[in-house]
């Protein structure tokens, strides 16, 4: 990643080369202000609901899913670099933020929303694994991670997503029966 960011012309670069992780963190520093704003919003707003148009059936737009996954990928890279720099407290905060962002779509009864949330959790597990492998986590941090991932109930979430898909299928069938132009 350091070599990649070194090739980009409009990204921050360290004054003098450091460790690969430190240099990556310098490049990712480009988004420090945005990250601070995102953390504040996540802390101030424990619940989230995106304005989805379920009545549009299969034509419903889901513009939030791709950005959530991209942010999770950014946080994964950042947290792995933080762990490599022995900054495990900050890495844990990034993992917690990534899962919090995935939780933002937890109440959406749509299969793709559930799958993106699942992908975000999987993305967030990479730095957890790296920290375990390299013995970077304290006992308190491991307990926090266990609590974070232990409260997940993927089976119940899958059930809700499939039930939601059944309802959306009904909307789609109704649209087809009415020859709704949005679906034809």
């Amino acid at each position: 990643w350091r070599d990649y960011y070194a090739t980009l012309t409009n990204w921050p670069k360290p004054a003098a080369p450091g460790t690969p992780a430190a240099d990556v963190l310098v490049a990712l520093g480009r988004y420090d202000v945005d990250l601070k704003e995102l953390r504040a919003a996540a802390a101030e707003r424990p619940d989230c609901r995106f304005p989805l148009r379920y009545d549009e059936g299969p034509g419903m737009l889901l513009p939030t899913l791709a950005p959530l996954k991209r942010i999770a990928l950014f946080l994964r890279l950042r947290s792995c670099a933080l762990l490599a720099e022995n900054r495990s407290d900050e890495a844990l905060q990034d993992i917690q933020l990534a899962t919090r962002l995935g939780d933002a779509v937890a109440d959406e009864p749509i299969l793709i929303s559930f799958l993106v949330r699942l992908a975000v959790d999987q993305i967030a597990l990479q730095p957890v694994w790296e920290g375990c492998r390299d013995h970077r986590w304290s006992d308190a941090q491991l307990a926090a991670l266990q609590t974070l991932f232990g409260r997940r109930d993927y089976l119940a979430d899958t059930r809700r997503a499939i039930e939601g898909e059944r309802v959306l299928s009904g909307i789609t069938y109704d649209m087809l029966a009415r020859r709704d132009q949005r679906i034809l």
Side-chain angles (χ1 to χ4, degrees):
W1 282 104
R2 174 176 59 181
D3 293 343
Y4 170 73
Y5 284 117
T7 66
L8 302 178
T9 56
N10 294 326
W11 285 71
K13 295 180 181 30
T19 65
D23 292 352
V24 167
L25 289 171
V26 169
L28 297 180
R30 174 182 185 164
Y31 295 110
D32 283 349
V33 173
D34 298 316
L35 187 57
K36 183 178 179 182
E37 185 179 334
L38 186 58
R39 281 189 202 290
E44 292 170 9
R45 301 173 181 161
D47 295 317
C48 179
R49 185 157 212 99
F50 296 108
L52 301 180
R53 302 284 316 256
Y54 294 98
D55 61 320
E56 293 180 1
M60 175 176 48
L61 298 178
L62 301 166
T64 56
L65 298 180
L68 287 177
K69 190 173 176 188
R70 278 194 305 271
I71 295 169
L73 290 166
F74 164 82
L75 290 168
R76 176 182 67 187
L77 176 60
R78 188 173 185 278
S79 59
C80 287
L82 288 165
L83 281 172
E85 289 295 305
N86 293 312
R87 294 164 57 185
S88 60
D89 286 334
E90 293 171 80
L92 177 60
Q93 290 173 0
D94 283 355
I95 292 166
Q96 290 168 326
L97 180 59
T99 59
R100 167 66 180 91
L101 293 174
D103 288 345
V105 295
D107 291 334
E108 291 180 6
I110 304 169
L111 186 58
I112 189 64
S113 295
F114 166 68
L115 293 173
V116 167
R117 181 173 178 238
L118 197 62
V120 167
D121 280 358
Q122 180 187 13
I123 289 165
L125 281 171
Q126 179 67 33
V128 172
W129 178 83
E130 288 188 22
C132 288
R133 180 196 64 200
D134 298 336
H135 305 284
R136 304 275 186 188
W137 302 119
S138 69
D139 288 344
Q141 290 168 331
L142 287 171
L145 288 165
Q146 185 173 4
T147 300
L148 176 66
F149 289 102
R151 70 174 189 246
R152 302 289 203 229
D153 187 351
Y154 295 118
L155 186 58
D157 295 342
T158 302
R159 187 177 309 114
R160 181 177 42 252
I162 290 172
E163 289 170 354
E165 287 296 316
R166 189 177 324 141
V167 171
L168 287 173
S169 294
I171 292 170
T172 302
Y173 297 142
D174 289 344
M175 291 173 81
L176 284 169
R178 289 190 319 266
R179 300 190 185 280
D180 190 317
Q181 292 302 313
R182 293 177 293 175
I183 197 169
L184 296 177

